[in-house]
């Protein structure tokens, strides 16, 4: 048994399986999956493979070097015996690893050493001939024996004064090794341990550099080299980072577990800056799109080195890979293009959670509340945990006790004395597949058998009732690998008070097997109930309820040290005090980086209506020409006493994702579905001639799509931020952007649609102080009105490209604007619920009417206004009477767009409920 831990199969691929892929070299797992460094993959029986690991080191300990050596037993006597192996010199210990698996690994802490020197000095052993061999003598009071017969088990400890002798293969190295050991051991006697250890490490790094002979190609150009550490769970390994025009390299100072790690830049798909030890020093590199396990995680000694390397790789990726943000993932999730599981993985990734950092391991929610029934009913809301509350607030009685203590507590106050995610909790769940990590974290011991992860139901009950247990889950509970639930390694994890041995995890009655448990857990995570409520949990963990008054109101306040910025490590001058503080923080757990500061929107869940045969225009998926998985044309009809159905031959609908969809009246189905980028599209229009569609996107671009040829015809990269709205008139394109500009382009259309690119010249740039969210043209295209995120309406003269009026008339974002048919007035609606009428000539606010919710869009026939509300209602406004004359129930989500024909007789509305409704106006 090797005890190799398979971290995070929840990302559909564990670290072990990813190490085995042959398409590129991988960063090595601390268990040595990339090879033990002995150069042979076919060791004979009885020869140790995978014995030593960096996990045998203490926290904050470094492995400096190793030497081939013999451990001499009973030196000078008739029973003298030699054990062949490797002597490893570390910053806090000396470790001897025998070549034979029958022998344990020996670990001697330097703090327990009484004397270190050459064997035979001071007459210690006159039978020892220094001229022929190199011997090191260690006299100590305590020694650990680890992994005897290569079995992972609690460390055995032997106490009492004893001497071990190690004979190096290279006698000339003895003096250097003894000097190093004396220097390092002195750090544990004097009160300057961490300072001296850091100085020794930096001195070794300064005396070495990256070996350029390791380049994959002699023509590679060096761009940067610096010192760094490769991070794996619980340990870091110092060395040198080097980046060229084609590759990223890391060369460990000690050559373990392989001489060099190499990643081809062309394979890189994602990079993230990370907090490591609460400092901006980490960088994680991924060569896959979806896996949570990265290819390498580096910790730098200087933030500037990290930022320089990030900049170089990011610059390289700009030409190859689209950038992903929390907002772009959110939109994909809202529209059903990401599963709940995938979305949570992405959020964890963006929030600095990494499987390489156990203090920031990905966090997933408890979903199921029922672990006692024989059947799991996912249609019953009572089956599920309340996702609007943190674990600590799920039990009302316990919460009352905690709040009483909170009220009596001096500043800084906190409600929970432990976190929902910490290294101890992660290894609590993973001890059966990562036993050596548990032993590393707990000084060579497993936890008490009754406190182990013995039962799903017991663990959930303790999280509900325990005085200090508020832990959430990890991704493995929603993955495919059942290993963490099964004691397949046959570990001796102890005996419980009832006499039973700790073995496999006890499952709830509704699970027939570990595989069944994971499948039903995944089904629960993707259920309708969770899809409708997951945003509430996101608000707590990654969102606006994570900090401040909203966190207090949600009973979601943890110890200040768990939050980013909770302590300034740079202000702590004493290195040992800093390490002690850092160790405390890392072991306690850390709150994820905050990703959202406003309430997270809920997921849009399809709600199909039953329609009578005469009014049904529900496109069938079976008849749809698009690929499976595309959304059907769900509900195109709505009837009332005053409205009839009106259909047009071709409708183009745009959604807040990257997909443009085209529907046909004749076939009553989806005709085309085109994705332009990974960012949301913001608006679209059909050019005269009905041959070309233009769409604007949050990725700063405007796209031209040929309907006839069914392909992207051109891309206009005209802005430095999201394009929010576009208009077209007389071969001129008007584009508004969050980069605070409106640009006017002269557009020459293609002679043959689909075969020739458009040509654009920038005619004018209308500069604003803040982001522009909407624009509209008057009928003659001589005037333009723009609305900004700060509530200002601007009226521009396009003939001279000058600002006529600037009217601050809304208290929030201006959602929509339009000119009256005679161009004498401008109408605007906003997030403040106001509908304002402005005189174009004077710039005066003529009237202002209010509603009780944001008005997202509207159409205007010159007399009456029909607006779409945040709630989905359609409001009919009487401008002369300055009142709302009618309310019509339209959508179940916000109305996002309204279209009206030139005859002002027919209207089409689209909403966040993913429905398009056709209306017939009767006067």
């Amino acid at each position: 048994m090797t005890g190799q831990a398979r971290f995070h199969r929840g990302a559909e691929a564990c670290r072990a399986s990813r190490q085995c892929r042959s398409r590129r070299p991988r960063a090595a797992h601390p268990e040595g999956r990339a090879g033990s460094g002995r150069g042979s993959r076919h060791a004979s029986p009885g020869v140790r493979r995978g014995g030593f690991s960096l996990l045998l080191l203490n926290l904050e300990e470094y492995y400096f070097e190793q030497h081939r050596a013999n451990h001499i037993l009973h030196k000078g006597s008739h029973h003298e015996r030699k054990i062949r192996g490797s002597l490893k010199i570390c910053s806090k210990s000396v470790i001897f690893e025998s070549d034979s698996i029958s022998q344990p690994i020996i670990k001697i802490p330097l703090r327990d050493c009484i004397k270190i020197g050459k064997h035979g000095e001071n007459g210690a052993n006159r039978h020892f001939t220094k001229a022929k061999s190199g011997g090191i003598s260690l006299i100590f009071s305590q020694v650990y024996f680890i992994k005897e017969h290569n079995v992972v088990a609690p460390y055995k400890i032997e106490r009492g004064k004893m001497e071990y002798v190690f004979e190096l293969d290279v006698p000339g190295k003895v003096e250097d090794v003894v000097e190093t050991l004396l220097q390092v051991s002195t750090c544990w006697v004097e009160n300057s341990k961490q300072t001296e250890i850091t100085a020794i490490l930096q001195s070794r790094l300064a005396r070495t550099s990256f070996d350029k002979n390791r380049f994959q190609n002699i023509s590679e150009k060096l761009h940067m080299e610096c010192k760094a550490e490769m991070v794996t769970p619980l340990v870091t390994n110092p060395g040198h980072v080097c980046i060229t025009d084609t590759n990223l390299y890391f060369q460990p100072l000690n050559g373990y577990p392989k001489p060099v790690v190499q990643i081809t830049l062309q394979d890189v798909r994602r990079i993230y800056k990370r907090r490591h030890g609460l400092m901006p020093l980490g960088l994680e590199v991924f060569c896959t799109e979806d896996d949570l396990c990265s290819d390498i995680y580096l910790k730098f000694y200087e933030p500037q080195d990290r930022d320089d390397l990030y900049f170089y790789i990011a610059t390289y990726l700009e030409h190859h890979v689209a950038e992903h943000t929390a907002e772009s993932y959110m939109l994909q999730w809202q529209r059903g293009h990401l599963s709940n599981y995938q979305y949570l993985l992405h959020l964890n990734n963006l929030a600095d959670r990494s499987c390489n950092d156990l203090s920031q391991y990905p966090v997933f929610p408890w979903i199921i509340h029922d672990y006692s029934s024989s059947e799991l009913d996912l249609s019953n809301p009572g089956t599920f945990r309340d996702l609007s509350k943190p674990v600590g607030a799920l039990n009302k009685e316990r919460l009352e006790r905690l709040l009483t203590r909170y009220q009596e507590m001096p500043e800084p106050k906190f409600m929970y004395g432990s976190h929902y995610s910490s290294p101890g909790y992660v290894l609590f769940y993973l001890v059966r597949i990562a036993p050596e990590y548990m032993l590393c974290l707990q000084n060579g011991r497993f936890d008490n058998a009754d406190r182990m992860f013995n039962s799903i139901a017991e663990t959930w009950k303790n999280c509900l009732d325990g005085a200090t247990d508020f832990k959430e889950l990890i991704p493995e509970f929603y993955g495919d690998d059942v290993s963490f639930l099964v004691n397949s390694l046959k570990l001796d994890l102890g005996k419980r008070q009832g006499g039973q041995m700790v073995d496999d995890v006890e499952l709830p009655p509704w699970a027939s097997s570990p595989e069944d448990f994971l499948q039903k857990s995944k089904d629960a995570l993707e259920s309708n109930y969770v899809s409708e409520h997951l945003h509430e949990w996101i608000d707590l963990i990654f969102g606006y309820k994570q900090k401040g008054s909203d966190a207090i109101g949600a009973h979601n306040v943890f110890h200040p040290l768990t939050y980013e910025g909770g302590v300034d490590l740079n202000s702590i001058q004493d290195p040992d005090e800093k390490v002690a503080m850092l160790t405390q923080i890392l072991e306690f757990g850390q709150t994820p980086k905050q990703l959202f500061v406003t309430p997270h929107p809920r997921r849009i869940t399809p709600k199909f209506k039953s329609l009578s045969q005469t009014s049904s225009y529900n496109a069938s998926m079976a008849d749809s020409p698009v690929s499976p998985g595309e959304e059907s044309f769900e509900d195109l009809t709505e009837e009332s006493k005053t409205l009839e159905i009106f259909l047009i031959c071709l409708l183009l609908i745009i959604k807040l994702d990257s997909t443009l969809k085209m529907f046909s009246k004749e076939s009553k189905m989806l005709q085309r579905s085109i994705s332009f980028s990974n960012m949301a599209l913001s608006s679209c229009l059909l050019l005269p001639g009905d041959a070309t569609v233009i769409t604007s996107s949050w990725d700063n671009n405007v796209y031209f799509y040929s309907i006839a040829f069914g392909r992207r015809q051109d891309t206009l990269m005209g802005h430095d931020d999201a394009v929010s709205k576009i208009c077209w008139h007389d071969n001129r394109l008007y584009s508004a952007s969050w980069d605070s500009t409106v640009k006017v382009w002269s557009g020459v259309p293609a002679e043959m649609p689909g075969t020739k690119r458009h040509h654009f010249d920038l005619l004018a740039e209308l500069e604003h102080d803040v982001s522009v969210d909407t624009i509209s043209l008057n009928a003659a295209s001589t005037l333009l009105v723009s609305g900004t995120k700060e509530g200002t309406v601007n009226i521009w003269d396009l003939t001279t490209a000058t600002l006529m009026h600037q009217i601050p008339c809304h208290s929030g974002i201006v959602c929509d604007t339009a000119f009256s048919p005679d161009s004498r007035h401008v109408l605007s609606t906003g997030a403040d619920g106001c509908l304002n009428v402005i005189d174009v000539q004077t710039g005066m606010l003529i009237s202002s009417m209010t509603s009780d919710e944001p008005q997202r869009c509207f159409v205007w026939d010159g007399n009456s206004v029909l607006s779409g509300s945040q709630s989905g209602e359609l409001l009919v406004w009487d401008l002369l009477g300055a009142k709302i004359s009618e309310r019509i129930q339209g959508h179940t989500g916000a109305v996002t767009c309204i279209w009206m024909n030139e005859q002002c007789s027919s209207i089409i509305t689209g909403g966040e409920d993913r429905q398009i409704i056709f209306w017939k106006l009767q006067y």
Side-chain angles (χ1 to χ4, degrees):
M1 181 195 67
T2 64
Q4 293 180 346
R6 291 172 291 177
F7 262 92
H8 193 67
R9 287 290 294 196
E12 310 299 337
C14 72
R15 185 178 299 276
S17 65
R18 291 194 50 205
Q19 292 289 347
C20 295
R21 297 177 190 169
S22 59
R23 67 185 181 93
R24 69 177 70 87
R26 295 286 178 181
H29 187 281
E31 289 292 335
R33 285 196 184 84
S36 63
R38 292 187 176 81
S40 174
R41 296 182 58 192
H42 305 286
S44 59
V47 175
R48 183 187 302 277
R49 288 183 295 177
F52 173 76
S53 153
L54 295 180
L55 292 169
L56 300 183
L57 278 57
N58 294 347
L59 295 177
E60 299 296 321
E61 181 176 10
Y62 296 106
Y63 165 34
F64 288 143
E65 61 193 47
Q66 78 165 359
H67 304 272
R68 294 295 293 166
N70 292 318
H71 177 202
I72 311 299
L73 299 178
H74 311 295
K75 180 66 180 177
S77 72
H78 297 293
H79 302 289
E80 179 175 316
R81 186 161 65 96
K82 295 183 178 181
I83 299 177
R84 187 77 175 139
S86 297
L87 187 69
K88 304 176 191 299
I89 310 303
C90 308
S91 61
K92 297 182 181 180
S93 62
V94 175
I95 296 175
F96 180 78
E97 179 188 17
S98 168
D99 290 346
S100 172
I101 62 172
S102 63
Q103 296 293 325
I105 294 174
I106 297 170
K107 180 178 178 179
I108 305 170
L110 290 174
R111 67 171 181 269
D112 296 322
C113 286
I114 300 170
K115 185 176 181 180
I116 300 172
K118 294 182 184 178
H119 185 68
E121 284 185 333
N122 301 323
N125 192 327
R126 294 182 180 178
H127 297 285
F128 182 70
T129 306
K130 290 187 287 183
K132 295 183 179 179
S133 61
I136 298 172
S137 169
L138 299 177
I139 300 176
F140 49 87
S141 59
Q142 182 171 264
V143 62
Y144 293 90
F145 299 102
I146 305 168
K147 295 180 71 172
E148 189 170 7
H149 297 291
N150 216 23
V151 174
V152 178
Y155 302 169
K156 296 179 180 178
I157 305 175
E158 184 175 325
R159 295 183 175 89
K161 186 176 180 179
M162 60 199 90
E163 179 184 16
Y164 277 8
V165 176
F166 300 98
E167 185 180 273
L168 302 188
D169 284 10
V170 183
K173 290 287 186 180
V174 171
E175 287 192 11
D176 290 341
V177 172
V178 170
E179 182 180 349
T180 297
L181 289 175
L182 289 172
Q183 184 181 19
V184 174
S185 63
T186 301
C187 301
W188 303 105
V189 177
E190 301 175 359
N191 192 25
S192 59
K193 48 191 178 185
Q194 192 58 42
T195 306
E196 290 297 326
I197 293 298
T198 301
I200 293 171
L201 173 63
Q202 293 301 321
S203 174
R204 285 173 170 261
L205 288 170
R207 294 197 305 266
T208 58
S209 62
F210 184 87
D211 182 5
K212 308 304 187 296
N213 292 322
R214 294 288 181 180
F215 282 177
Q216 294 289 301
N217 193 303
I218 59 173
S219 63
E220 286 185 61
K221 296 179 180 179
L222 175 66
H223 284 280
M224 177 183 174
E225 179 182 348
C226 65
K227 299 175 288 185
E229 297 178 11
M230 188 171 75
V231 179
T232 49
L234 296 182
V235 293
T236 60
N237 202 14
H240 296 275
V241 169
C242 183
I243 190 166
T244 69
D245 54 342
T246 55
N247 290 290
L248 171 66
Y249 298 95
F250 176 77
Q251 186 171 30
L253 183 65
N254 51 33
Y256 178 88
K258 56 193 298 187
V260 69
V261 175
Q262 175 256 328
I263 293 175
T264 304
L265 293 181
Q266 193 172 8
D267 290 336
V268 175
R269 290 295 172 267
R270 295 175 289 143
I271 56 170
Y272 298 96
K273 292 181 179 180
R274 297 292 194 213
R275 286 179 302 160
H276 188 273
L278 300 185
M279 302 290 286
L281 300 172
L283 182 71
E284 196 161 19
V285 180
F286 294 77
C287 292
T288 59
E289 292 290 352
D290 299 318
D291 282 0
L292 195 67
C293 296
S294 64
D295 290 67
I296 193 168
Y297 188 143
L298 296 171
K299 170 201 168 186
F300 296 80
Y301 296 108
E302 298 294 336
Q304 190 61 50
D305 288 340
R306 191 277 304 268
D307 293 345
D308 289 346
L309 190 69
Y310 175 90
F311 177 79
Y312 182 82
I313 300 178
T315 302
Y316 180 91
L317 294 183
E318 279 183 5
H319 309 290
H320 302 82
V321 181
E323 184 179 0
H324 297 280
T325 64
E327 288 73 19
S328 66
Y329 284 131
M330 178 185 70
L331 291 171
Q332 292 181 55
W333 171 75
Q334 272 192 284
R335 302 294 168 173
H337 299 302
L338 289 177
S339 67
N340 293 338
Y341 175 81
Q342 290 172 321
Y343 185 44
L344 289 177
L345 283 186
H346 288 310
L347 292 185
N348 272 282
N349 205 355
L350 292 172
D352 279 346
R353 313 302 285 189
S354 168
C355 60
N356 283 306
D357 186 350
L358 296 189
S359 68
Q360 298 188 91
Y361 201 77
V363 57
F364 268 58
W366 284 96
I367 291 296
I368 299 170
H369 177 81
D370 180 7
Y371 292 101
S372 59
S373 301
S374 58
E375 298 291 334
L376 188 66
D377 183 3
L378 297 183
S379 64
N380 178 12
T383 298
F384 299 93
R385 165 256 183 108
D386 186 347
L387 289 166
S388 68
K389 299 177 180 178
V391 169
L394 293 175
N395 183 321
K396 184 178 179 180
E397 291 75 17
R398 179 179 64 177
L399 178 61
E400 289 176 352
R401 295 193 300 269
L402 292 169
L403 290 179
T404 299
R405 187 190 68 173
Y406 174 76
Q407 297 298 333
E408 298 171 351
M409 187 181 296
E411 295 291 346
K413 295 183 176 184
F414 55 90
M415 296 177 186
Y416 309 112
S418 63
H419 206 252
Y420 51 78
S421 177
S422 69
Y425 288 160
V426 173
L427 296 177
F428 169 85
Y429 292 126
L430 297 181
V431 63
R432 289 167 177 80
I433 58 170
E436 289 185 87
Y437 292 83
M438 175 73 81
L439 294 174
C440 176
L441 189 67
Q442 300 202 153
N443 299 316
R445 301 185 302 272
F446 289 132
D447 203 352
N448 180 279
D450 287 293
R451 292 197 298 265
M452 297 286 272
F453 181 33
N454 293 302
S455 160
I456 303 291
E458 282 183 15
T459 302
W460 170 242
K461 184 178 185 301
N462 200 55
C463 288
L464 286 181
D465 302 336
T468 60
D469 194 349
F470 315 109
K471 61 178 171 284
E472 293 278 9
L473 296 182
I474 55 176
E476 282 76 359
F477 279 81
Y478 305 102
D480 296 318
D481 189 352
V482 301
S483 300
F484 76 103
L485 299 170
V486 181
N487 188 17
S488 58
L489 298 179
K490 303 303 178 186
L491 300 168
D492 182 359
L493 298 173
K495 184 181 293 186
R496 304 188 67 183
Q497 287 186 357
Q500 67 270 37
M501 297 297 294
V502 176
D503 198 25
D504 296 348
V505 177
E506 182 183 343
L507 303 174
W510 46 257
S512 60
S513 66
E515 290 79 8
D516 186 47
F517 171 77
L518 289 190
Q519 184 57 55
K520 287 177 177 174
S521 296
K522 289 189 288 186
D523 293 342
L525 180 62
E526 304 301 335
S527 65
N528 285 336
Y529 177 88
V530 174
S531 293
E532 292 172 359
H533 294 276
L534 187 59
H535 65 284
E536 298 172 331
W537 186 82
I538 293 172
D539 284 336
L540 296 169
I541 307 301
F542 304 105
Y544 81 109
K545 291 183 179 179
Q546 186 195 90
K547 299 177 182 178
S549 59
D550 291 304
I552 296 173
H555 305 132
N556 194 39
V557 182
F558 295 86
H559 195 283
L561 290 180
T562 68
Y563 295 94
E564 185 175 16
V567 61
D568 182 8
L569 289 177
N570 289 324
S571 66
I572 303 176
Q573 299 300 319
D574 182 78
D576 296 322
E577 182 183 347
K578 182 181 293 187
V579 169
M581 174 63 74
L582 180 59
T583 301
Q584 177 185 351
I585 292 169
L586 297 184
E587 292 182 356
F588 193 86
Q590 297 178 62
T591 299
K593 181 165 64 177
Q594 190 174 25
L595 300 179
F596 307 101
V597 294
T598 57
H600 191 288
R602 63 183 299 170
R603 194 174 196 182
I604 300 170
T605 53
K607 293 181 174 62
F608 294 89
K609 299 178 180 177
S610 58
L611 304 172
S612 64
Q613 186 175 358
T614 57
S615 61
S616 176
Y617 293 91
N618 197 355
S620 168
M621 285 298 294
D623 299 330
S624 176
V626 298
S627 60
E630 289 289 341
E631 300 170 52
S632 62
F633 197 5
E634 294 175 342
D635 181 16
L636 305 184
T637 65
E638 181 82 2
E639 292 182 323
S640 70
K641 294 180 181 179
T642 59
L643 296 136
E644 300 175 354
I645 305 303
F646 178 78
L647 296 176
I648 58 175
C649 295
L650 183 66
L651 169 73
L652 300 106
I653 179 172
I654 195 160
K655 312 184 317 165
L656 278 182
D657 59 12
S658 61
T659 309
L660 175 73
K661 299 200 171 187
M662 303 172 63
F663 301 89
S664 171
K665 174 247 184 181
E666 285 81 9
S667 62
K668 304 182 181 67
M669 69 176 69
L670 180 65
Q671 291 291 314
R672 302 232 184 115
S673 181
I674 312 102
S675 181
F676 294 105
S677 77
N678 70 314
M679 299 291 285
L681 301 180
S682 54
S683 67
C684 74
L685 52 86
L686 182 63
L687 291 189
D690 298 343
T692 302
V693 177
I694 311 180
T695 67
S696 59
S697 172
W698 284 5
D699 67 1
N700 312 353
N701 298 330
V702 177
Y703 298 95
F704 293 74
Y705 177 80
S706 170
I707 298 175
F709 291 84
R711 63 171 179 259
R712 185 193 302 181
Q713 189 174 343
D714 205 352
T715 301
L716 174 62
M717 295 179 284
H719 287 277
D720 298 321
D721 205 336
V723 182
S724 54
K725 185 74 178 289
I726 51 174
C727 298
W728 178 276
H729 185 268
D730 195 20
N731 289 338
R732 289 191 178 183
L733 174 68
Y734 304 82
S735 58
S737 172
W738 294 353
D739 66 5
S740 306
T741 67
V742 174
K743 294 184 178 180
V744 184
W745 309 85
S746 171
V748 180
E751 296 176 1
M752 293 290 291
T755 61
K756 182 179 179 181
R757 289 176 173 267
H758 293 75
H759 176 73
F760 290 95
D761 292 319
L762 181 62
L763 299 180
E765 182 170 339
L766 313 179
E767 295 185 352
H768 296 66
D769 296 327
V770 293
S771 300
V772 184
D773 285 88
T774 185
I775 55 171
S776 296
L777 299 171
N778 69 341
S781 293
T782 56
L783 300 175
L784 180 144
V785 58
S786 60
T788 71
K789 74 170 186 177
E790 291 186 354
T792 300
V793 173
N794 304 279
I795 302 175
W796 299 81
D797 182 352
L798 292 178
T799 61
T800 58
T802 56
L803 179 64
M804 295 171 57
H805 305 291
Q806 190 173 48
I807 308 101
C809 54
H810 290 276
S811 60
I813 294 173
V814 180
C815 297
D816 202 2
T817 57
F819 284 91
S820 60
D822 60 5
S823 299
R824 293 174 60 186
H825 299 101
V826 163
L827 186 70
S828 65
T829 58
D832 57 3
C834 291
L835 185 145
N836 296 328
V837 181
I838 300 168
D839 181 76
V840 171
Q841 185 175 0
T842 63
M844 291 181 58
L845 182 63
I846 298 175
S847 68
S848 180
M849 295 167 281
T850 61
S851 63
D852 53 4
E853 62 179 329
Q855 300 300 305
R856 297 279 295 270
C857 51
F858 69 90
V859 288
W860 188 11
D861 64 1
N863 296 309
S864 298
V865 175
L866 182 70
S867 68
S869 303
Q870 183 71 27
S871 65
E873 273 191 326
L874 298 177
L875 304 185
V876 179
W877 300 75
D878 179 4
L879 296 184
L880 295 178
K883 63 181 181 179
I884 299 173
S885 60
E886 189 175 2
R887 293 178 181 268
I888 304 167
Q889 185 57 48
H891 294 262
T892 58
V895 182
T896 56
C897 56
I898 301 182
W899 175 89
M900 184 169 63
N901 66 344
E902 292 182 358
Q903 293 77 25
C904 300
S905 60
S906 299
I907 289 174
I908 306 174
T909 61
E912 287 185 350
D913 56 2
R914 299 160 68 186
Q915 296 189 57
I916 305 168
I917 303 177
F918 292 71
W919 311 82
K920 179 74 172 181
L921 294 178
Q922 293 183 341
Y923 295 92

